[in-house]
Amino acid sequence: MTQQIDEYKKTLLINLIEIMKRRLNEATSTDYSRLGWLLVNNNKKDEAVSYIQKGLEIDSDNHHCQRLYDRLISS
């Protein structure tokens, strides 16, 4: 049963990531940080860093992006 739940959660995570990627033209820097966290939880750290950097390009003072970026770079 827990394996089914884990697969369901992974499927939801992947779907949410794809939806967010399709709507990046509407995204704020905080949205980029949220996408970054989703990617981290999907074991895609390098991709997460890339999106966080884009979020910081939008707003270099965004503390959500800054914190996640610092966390990913230092690990």
Side-chain angles (χ1 to χ4, degrees):
M1 177 98 169
T2 58
Q3 183 178 4
Q4 287 177 330
I5 293 171
D6 290 341
E7 286 300 317
Y8 179 72
K9 285 181 181 179
K10 184 158 182 76
T11 300
L12 285 175
L13 179 61
I14 291 168
N15 288 338
L16 184 54
I17 289 169
E18 291 306 314
I19 290 167
M20 289 188 76
K21 285 181 180 180
R22 285 194 301 260
R23 299 191 65 180
L24 284 175
N25 62 322
E26 304 169 38
T28 65
S29 55
T30 299
D31 295 328
Y32 276 92
S33 74
R34 291 175 180 141
L35 177 56
W37 276 114
L38 292 172
L39 289 164
V40 167
N41 285 302
N42 198 30
N43 299 317
K44 298 196 179 219
K45 178 183 169 184
D46 293 339
E47 191 176 351
V49 170
S50 174
Y51 282 105
I52 294 304
Q53 288 172 329
K54 290 177 184 176
L56 288 169
E57 289 173 13
I58 294 170
D59 179 5
S60 61
D61 294 328
N62 183 285
H63 69 277
H64 299 294
C65 288
Q66 290 171 345
R67 284 182 44 217
L68 182 54
Y69 184 80
D70 291 344
R71 184 176 190 164
L72 292 175
I73 296 304
S74 66
S75 64

